[in-house]
Amino acid sequence: MELMSNDRPKNWRPGRMTTDPARLVALDVLEQVRHGAYANIALPQTLRKAGISGRGRGFATNLTYGTLRMQGKWDAIIARCVAGRDFEDIDPLVLDILRLGAHQLLDMKVPLHAAMNETVNMARNEAGSGASGFVNAVMHRISERTPDDWDDLLAEELEGDGQKAVLGALTSHPTWIIDRLEDSLVASGRPAADLGDVLAANNDPALVALAPRDISSEEIAAQASEWRMPNRPGDIVAGAVVLERGNPGRLPAVRDHGAGVQDEGSQLVALIAAYAPLKGSDKAWLDLCAGPGGKAASLAREAMPRGAQLFANEQHGHRLDLVAQAVEPYEDIVVLREGDGRELGELEPNRFDRVLVDVPCSGLGSLRRRPEARWMKRDEDAENMSRVQLELLTAAIASARPGGIIVYSTCSPDLRETREIVEKATGVEVLDAVEIARSVAVPGSLDTVQGPYLQLWPDEHDTDGMFAAVFRKLDAIDAINASDAEATSDEMEHEEQPVESDETADHLPQPGEKAEAAEELAISGEEPDPVADEAADEGPGAANAGSEESDRAEEEGAGEASEAPAVGDLGDERSGPVA
């Protein structure tokens, strides 16, 4: 019989087990987020550094994003299990360990003994023996109740604070976000009673949607199936391909820019901009805030067969590089410009037939993709963005020709960023965005939406909370008449904006060129772009664990998260947990 070796790992101590690498990755990412990092950037980097793949990668993804998303609920439970200690006095590292443990106990199918042992062992190794005793005691108290028991206890104890306090604790949302979502629901014609459904949908991992670029949807679906990624057509956009599992970064079509990761709501906005009814010339299109390029690529795909040219403007150079990658299949018809979009109203007045202005925003419509965002954002963020949003819309209107189409969109349902902005627009006629959307969407998919503005919801449409308004620019006489009529009815007061001459200087470069603006004005509130993650070089038939929307890819326009120029090598949040 062969004797066991007496060799011990370096730094081995009697009675000490090593920490599970997947759980250690999750703890590392939580600590990075606590110090200001973004989970969609930190997680793929940490996974690569740890060399974790397969089920371990899927487990780490589930644990990291799930814990961040449900942090508020776990904190409420932990606070009731600390035996007289003030919650605020818990060491941040120990609190992160407890959050991870609570998520495994109450939200993942991790066996009780595994969740307990691994969490206490992590505390001992990472925070010290004293901390492990405290963690052990708290974990035992958490385990004494089932998830339903905890829900009942929180609801009972918070009942006196009102229904929103209960909703906030059970669905892990700050109260101010609940207030803003309720206001938007009611303004959109939905009952306030639907609020719970919206909050629950924010906690469901979003499926990955792919948009065709220079290959067909059928080719994308066939390729995904070959790589063992179950897929189906889009629910709202017929040309979309929705992956039910799998990492899109491994698909050659995505790696070669033949397809792009893009939420169906984002794809729909681009189609609205491309197909809103227009009289006269239809050859010059503008994407005013083009980074990181998903909507620009969708627009270019529609513009090419119609002989139109797309001008893509982006303020920041690194984001413009992402636009260039996204529109690569259409580079012959796309003009890139680096500069503040607010300048184009003066530089290029009355030039464009179609203008899309997808403004930077608070990103409240993409909470399911950015799990930590609900804890990092503040109520005043939307107020701080509103001035920039209105200035961008004003520039978009000025740059459109009389009779031209302007589409304002944002990935936030917050009324301060949607209706309160578009209702200040002057010199335009409001078109019914919902009717236009129905003309290009899957039949029946938007039957419950009320116009004239389009507001999508994650619970009803399984998309981000995209908002879109469509305008037609009036000519000088119509603008004056409209202004006089408004003043007479005393419904609102707007200053008339004169329409510039049709003779414009050619301030934009020609296709293939990239012009730099005279100066770069910072737009506050913009979140960083996703970092491109290296896709694993595996062939068809390899085991593929998917990403949660391609490492939480950020949607075009600051603060949004529905598409990605590149995707990350993460685990699928729908992967089963490992003990």
Side-chain angles (χ1 to χ4, degrees):
M1 180 176 180
E2 184 177 354
L3 297 177
M4 294 179 61
S5 171
N6 287 325
D7 293 336
R8 302 298 185 193
K10 186 179 181 179
N11 299 325
W12 178 84
R13 299 181 194 177
R16 171 166 292 192
M17 297 173 57
T18 59
T19 304
D20 170 48
R23 290 175 169 87
L24 194 57
V25 163
L27 179 63
D28 191 350
V29 174
L30 261 61
E31 184 173 11
Q32 293 180 58
V33 168
R34 183 156 37 85
H35 289 93
Y38 290 87
N40 64 304
I41 296 175
L43 182 56
Q45 293 175 344
T46 308
L47 283 169
R48 282 200 305 271
K49 184 178 179 181
I52 296 177
S53 60
R55 287 175 59 82
R57 184 177 64 231
F59 181 79
T61 302
N62 285 347
L63 182 56
T64 303
Y65 286 143
T67 301
L68 286 169
R69 186 181 289 116
M70 300 305 296
Q71 174 180 309
K73 182 176 183 178
W74 306 149
D75 285 358
I77 291 174
I78 292 168
R80 287 160 173 78
C81 296
V82 294
R85 178 182 296 194
D86 288 339
F87 178 82
E88 292 75 14
D89 293 339
I90 301 175
D91 179 80
L93 176 61
V94 173
L95 181 56
D96 283 342
I97 293 172
L98 285 171
R99 289 165 173 165
L100 291 170
H103 190 69
Q104 293 172 70
L105 280 175
L106 302 176
D107 203 72
M108 298 179 73
K109 297 176 182 178
V110 177
L112 174 62
H113 71 277
M116 294 286 296
N117 292 342
E118 290 289 350
T119 303
V120 173
N121 183 59
M122 177 186 285
R124 181 182 299 113
N125 291 343
E126 307 304 322
S129 298
S132 68
F134 172 70
V135 168
N136 183 54
V138 174
M139 287 289 289
H140 272 95
R141 293 190 183 97
I142 294 174
S143 69
E144 290 171 355
R145 288 184 170 87
T146 67
D148 289 340
D149 290 340
W150 276 115
D151 285 352
D152 292 342
L153 178 64
L154 292 176
E156 179 182 348
E157 292 190 359
L158 295 171
E159 184 178 7
D161 296 330
Q163 183 60 28
K164 288 182 182 178
V166 175
L167 272 176
L170 297 184
T171 66
S172 197
H173 283 76
T175 304
W176 72 267
I177 290 182
I178 295 176
D179 290 336
R180 297 302 177 185
L181 292 177
E182 182 182 45
D183 291 344
S184 182
L185 273 172
V186 174
S188 302
R190 294 187 61 182
D194 288 352
L195 181 60
D197 294 335
V198 175
L199 298 176
N202 282 342
N203 292 333
D204 291 334
L207 292 175
V208 175
L210 300 179
R213 301 300 185 223
D214 65 346
I215 65 174
S216 68
S217 300
E218 292 74 17
E219 290 174 292
I220 296 173
Q223 191 177 109
S225 297
E226 182 182 6
W227 284 69
R228 298 184 181 180
M229 299 183 192
N231 61 88
R232 57 175 172 77
D235 296 321
I236 293 180
V237 177
V241 177
V242 178
L243 300 183
E244 296 179 345
R245 286 188 65 84
N247 183 352
R250 294 194 172 104
L251 291 177
V254 174
R255 295 164 67 177
D256 298 338
H257 308 297
V261 176
Q262 187 177 12
D263 181 76
E264 281 193 74
S266 173
Q267 295 184 46
L268 180 62
V269 166
L271 291 175
I272 291 171
Y275 288 98
L278 175 68
K279 294 181 180 179
S281 172
D282 194 13
K283 298 300 182 183
W285 299 9
L286 171 64
D287 187 348
L288 194 66
C289 306
K295 290 188 183 70
S298 294
L299 284 173
R301 188 172 191 266
E302 302 299 329
M304 177 174 281
R306 291 153 67 174
Q309 188 176 58
L310 175 67
F311 297 83
N313 180 83
E314 170 54 45
Q315 180 176 6
H316 302 290
H318 65 287
R319 289 172 64 86
L320 190 62
D321 290 339
L322 299 177
V323 177
Q325 294 175 18
V327 301
E328 184 179 349
Y330 318 104
E331 59 184 359
D332 290 342
I333 68 159
V334 177
V335 177
L336 302 178
R337 176 186 184 270
E338 181 178 344
D340 192 324
R342 292 173 289 185
E343 302 170 342
L344 285 183
E346 296 182 359
L347 295 176
E348 304 289 344
N350 303 310
R351 175 168 181 179
F352 298 101
D353 303 306
R354 297 180 184 273
V355 180
L356 170 63
V357 52
D358 184 52
V359 297
C361 70
S362 66
L364 290 188
S366 58
L367 294 182
R368 61 184 188 157
R369 300 186 190 278
R370 299 188 66 86
E372 78 280 13
R374 66 189 73 182
W375 312 116
M376 299 176 69
K377 297 181 184 299
R378 297 292 179 267
D379 193 19
E380 57 267 23
D381 291 346
E383 297 175 1
N384 295 337
M385 297 301 296
S386 61
R387 178 182 61 83
V388 172
Q389 291 164 341
L390 181 58
E391 290 173 351
L392 285 166
L393 175 57
T394 301
I397 295 171
S399 65
R401 68 164 173 84
I405 294 296
I406 303 100
V407 175
Y408 174 96
S409 68
T410 183
C411 190
S412 172
D414 193 321
L415 295 180
R416 296 169 296 176
E417 303 179 89
T418 58
R419 292 171 183 260
E420 292 181 15
I421 298 295
V422 299
E423 289 172 357
K424 295 175 183 177
T426 60
V428 293
E429 171 192 1
V430 178
L431 303 184
D432 194 321
V434 175
E435 288 302 317
I436 298 169
R438 287 174 180 157
S439 71
V440 295
V442 172
S445 61
L446 301 175
D447 284 353
T448 61
V449 184
Q450 300 180 20
Y453 307 126
L454 174 72
Q455 179 64 67
L456 300 178
W457 294 97
D459 63 318
E460 276 200 339
H461 309 108
D462 198 18
T463 69
D464 291 341
M466 293 295 299
F467 171 89
V470 183
F471 305 101
R472 178 181 291 118
K473 184 172 178 176
L474 301 174
D475 60 27
I477 295 178
D478 288 340
I480 293 173
N481 291 338
S483 179
D484 289 344
E486 289 170 352
T488 300
S489 64
D490 198 31
E491 293 177 352
M492 62 181 63
E493 295 182 0
H494 290 310
E495 292 183 4
E496 178 190 348
Q497 295 185 349
V499 178
E500 302 287 347
S501 166
D502 287 339
E503 297 180 4
T504 61
D506 188 11
H507 291 287
L508 290 175
Q510 296 305 306
E513 297 179 354
K514 174 179 170 181
E516 294 190 2
E519 53 184 278
E520 180 176 329
L521 300 178
I523 295 182
S524 61
E526 182 169 357
E527 297 178 358
D529 305 296
V531 173
D533 192 22
E534 299 174 1
D537 186 15
E538 301 179 20
N544 293 295
S547 67
E548 183 183 325
E549 184 58 45
S550 308
D551 70 73
R552 241 357 126 238
E554 182 182 351
E555 164 61 351
E556 333 166 312
E560 302 177 14
S562 304
E563 68 182 75
V567 289
D569 190 16
L570 302 187
D572 191 341
E573 275 208 80
R574 295 162 189 79
S575 302
V578 293

